[in-house]
Amino acid sequence: MTNIAPRVIYEEMPYHSQFASPELVGPIVFGEMQAKDDPRWSESGASTPEEYARWAWNLCGMVCLKSVLEYTDKPGKEQTLMALARTCIDEGGYVVGEDEIKGLYYGPFVKFAEKEFGLEGRVASPLSIADIVQEINDGNFVIASVHPTIRDFSPPPRQGGHLVLLTGYDIADENGPKLYYHDPAGLYEKSQAFASAPVSTFEKYFAGRGVVLTRPPEAAEV
């Protein structure tokens, strides 16, 4: 790494949850209520509560993209999560079967982001912590694969399976280097916007892969 600032935070990065009611993420993911009973389901752009319930678990990548679109003021930033997902299906980012939704597939997603919104990017696999720091330092956007139990730091059964948007780092923190991120399935007022974790903790959930989207030249600097 070269010319790395000790601390960079994308303080104006908007946050969205992959569930329409951010305050209900806990009850939904812990099985205390069903996603179809989310009273704000229609805000996702789904046609029915059942469609919302099927897709809500798979929208973490669309959430990360929507935040970046809003942050960079790109046309398309007003689209609902389901509108983004439906277009991403057309590009091969998701494969929808009768019983399951497969994806997000990184390669088609990168092509989708560039074709639809002019956001250039690349699949980053492997992706290291040093790479994440360098990309954020350079003003780019990193979507990283982590295990969803990062929401409450429960022991993960494996690494990966869920996407978060990195929003900053602090390598000069007196308690050790840490990363900041938006967790689309984080817990309300605990681990959603600008959640943070020591690098040593983040690595327990991190699969070492993800996507890097390049900051457009016209986008304002942080």
Side-chain angles (χ1 to χ4, degrees):
M1 295 187 294
T2 58
N3 301 318
I4 299 296
R7 183 177 189 269
V8 176
I9 306 289
Y10 294 173
E11 295 180 350
E12 301 302 318
M13 180 66 74
Y15 175 81
H16 295 282
S17 171
Q18 67 191 80
F19 296 94
S21 298
E23 70 277 10
L24 296 179
V25 172
I28 292 172
V29 301
F30 294 135
E32 299 166 9
M33 68 175 288
Q34 296 185 50
K36 68 181 180 62
D37 296 324
D38 186 331
R40 295 171 58 185
W41 66 267
S42 63
E43 295 178 23
S44 69
S47 301
T48 65
E50 289 73 24
E51 183 185 35
Y52 164 74
R54 187 182 189 200
W55 270 96
W57 300 90
N58 296 276
L59 292 173
C60 49
M62 297 302 98
V63 169
C64 295
L65 175 61
K66 185 172 176 63
S67 290
V68 172
L69 291 175
E70 292 183 0
Y71 187 77
T72 56
D73 198 29
K74 282 285 186 181
K77 64 182 181 180
E78 73 288 343
Q79 292 189 34
T80 64
L81 295 178
M82 281 303 305
L84 293 170
R86 290 183 184 113
T87 307
C88 194
I89 291 171
D90 295 338
E91 297 299 325
Y94 295 101
V95 175
V96 182
E98 290 186 7
D99 300 324
E100 64 178 333
I101 299 169
K102 295 181 179 179
L104 186 66
Y105 295 112
Y106 295 170
F109 170 73
V110 169
K111 293 178 181 177
F112 158 69
E114 182 171 3
K115 177 180 176 181
E116 295 295 323
F117 309 110
L119 285 171
E120 296 183 359
R122 62 180 176 86
V123 176
S125 181
L127 176 68
S128 69
I129 299 297
D131 294 333
I132 291 174
V133 170
Q134 183 70 65
E135 294 293 348
I136 295 173
N137 179 81
D138 293 346
N140 298 324
F141 311 105
V142 180
I143 299 171
S145 177
V146 300
H147 193 270
T149 55
I150 198 172
R151 67 170 64 92
D152 61 358
F153 297 137
S154 296
R158 62 186 183 281
Q159 295 168 312
H162 175 58
L163 296 172
V164 297
L165 175 64
L166 276 296
T167 54
Y169 67 82
D170 187 345
I171 56 177
D173 188 277
E174 60 181 11
N175 295 315
K178 65 171 59 175
L179 296 174
Y180 294 86
Y181 50 93
H182 282 355
D183 185 348
L187 302 178
Y188 187 61
E189 295 185 338
K190 293 181 179 179
S191 55
Q192 292 185 345
F194 297 101
S196 67
V199 165
S200 59
T201 299
F202 188 86
E203 288 179 317
K204 296 177 182 178
Y205 302 86
F206 178 42
R209 61 179 180 267
V211 168
V212 175
L213 297 175
T214 303
R215 177 188 293 270
E218 69 275 12
E221 293 296 326
V222 176

